[in-house]
Amino acid sequence: MSHWKIYDNWYADLAGLSVEQLRERRAFAAERATGAVARGMGRNPKAGREWRQRLRAVDDELLRRGVQGA
């Protein structure tokens, strides 16, 4: 199993995850998106865009399921 599996299959895995797992992924993506553009963290705008895109994908999946607080 690849060490990078969570990143490689991010979008494909969303439909099969539980709501709790989606919330964990959302928190992880939000933290990474913030860190990618933070001062003193070696700003990386491309990484920030990619993490925000992953964050939107999780939010879209939560909304598709009708979960409040997405």
Side-chain angles (χ1 to χ4, degrees):
M1 184 162 133
S2 170
H3 176 71
W4 301 102
K5 185 178 185 318
I6 188 172
Y7 306 111
D8 295 340
N9 299 324
W10 185 273
Y11 301 102
D13 290 347
L14 293 179
L17 297 175
S18 69
V19 172
E20 184 61 34
Q21 289 171 319
L22 285 171
R23 287 184 174 146
E24 289 173 4
R25 283 235 181 149
R26 187 189 188 291
F28 180 72
E31 179 182 328
R32 293 298 207 120
T34 302
V37 295
R39 285 184 177 262
M41 300 289 286
R43 291 182 183 181
N44 187 338
K46 181 180 177 187
R49 282 190 302 272
E50 290 174 357
W51 282 109
R52 285 190 302 275
Q53 185 178 16
R54 288 178 173 151
L55 179 59
R56 281 191 299 274
V58 174
D59 285 341
D60 291 345
E61 179 64 23
L62 286 168
L63 288 173
R64 187 186 69 76
R65 294 184 187 189
V67 175
Q68 294 293 330

